[in-house]
Amino acid sequence: MPHQAHPTYQAHPARPAYASFSSYVRARGPVLLRAARSLTSNPCDAEDLLQTALTKTYVAWDRIEDHRALDGYVRRALLNTRTSQWRKRKIDEFACEELPETEGLPEPDPADQQVLHDAMWRAVMKLPDRQRAMVVLRYYEDLSEAQTAEVLGVSIGTVKSAVSRALGKLREDPDLSPVR
C-alpha cells in the first residue's frame, strides 16, 4: 500500500500560502532586525534572534488571524525568545569571600607605551621600502603571509624572507634596545 501523506502536508517547501510570509520578511526584515538589535548587544546574536522569531512566526502563520498586526506578533516572539535565552543562560560567576585573581604585573604607564610605540615606528621607518611595506602589512594590518604576498604581487617565500630580514634589522636597532 503506498504511503499516504498527511492532508495538510505538501512536499514542496514554497507553498503558495506562504508566499505572503516571504513578502512580509522581505518588506519588514530591516525594521525587525533593528528591533532585534535593541534586545541584544551583539549584531550576530540579533540576527539569530530574529531568525528564531521568524521561524516561530512561520510555524504559526495559519493561526495568525490579523496579518496587519504581524509586526507586533514578531516583536512579541523576539521578546519571548530573548527572555527564554536570558533565563537559560549559564552563570559562571559565584560569590566568594576571597577574590580568586592573583596580583599580576602593574598596568604599564601610557607614557611609556607611547615612547615604545614611537621608537618602534621610527625603527620601522628606517627599513627599506619593500621590507617596511611587508612588516606594516603583516604586523600592523595583521594580514597573513599569503595575503601580504597577494597585495604586493610577490611570492609567499619572498614575504617570509623579507620579513625575517626586517625583523633582524629591528632587533639590532639601537633605539629599540630597552625593549629586548
Side-chain angles (χ1 to χ4, degrees), residues 124-135 152:
V124 167
M125 292 304 290
K126 293 179 196 174
L127 294 172
D129 291 343
R130 186 172 173 171
Q131 287 180 359
R132 182 174 56 242
M134 291 183 191
V135 167
L152 296 175

Side-chain angles (χ1 to χ4, degrees), residues 73-123:
Y73 184 91
V74 175
R75 283 191 174 97
R76 174 51 60 186
L78 285 168
L79 189 58
N80 291 346
T81 302
R82 184 65 183 137
T83 301
S84 294
Q85 291 171 345
W86 178 79
R87 286 180 179 152
K88 291 177 186 176
R89 79 186 189 286
K90 181 180 175 187
I91 299 175
D92 291 332
E93 296 181 19
F94 302 97
C96 60
E97 292 182 22
E98 293 182 30
L99 292 176
E101 294 87 14
T102 58
E103 288 196 31
L105 297 173
E107 288 293 318
D109 183 5
D112 290 340
Q113 288 180 317
Q114 187 61 48
V115 168
L116 175 61
H117 179 270
D118 292 344
M120 179 61 78
W121 192 247
R122 281 192 304 275

Side-chain angles (χ1 to χ4, degrees), residues 32-53:
L32 296 171
L33 183 58
R34 280 194 299 274
R37 289 285 309 268
S38 70
L39 296 172
T40 66
S41 59
N42 181 332
C44 294
D45 290 343
E47 290 174 3
D48 291 343
L49 178 63
L50 178 58
Q51 187 67 41
T52 302

Side-chain angles (χ1 to χ4, degrees), residues 127 131 158 160-171:
L127 294 172
Q131 287 180 359
T158 300
K160 288 180 181 182
S161 62
V163 167
S164 177
R165 284 192 301 276
L167 293 177
K169 289 178 182 178
L170 292 174
R171 281 187 206 100

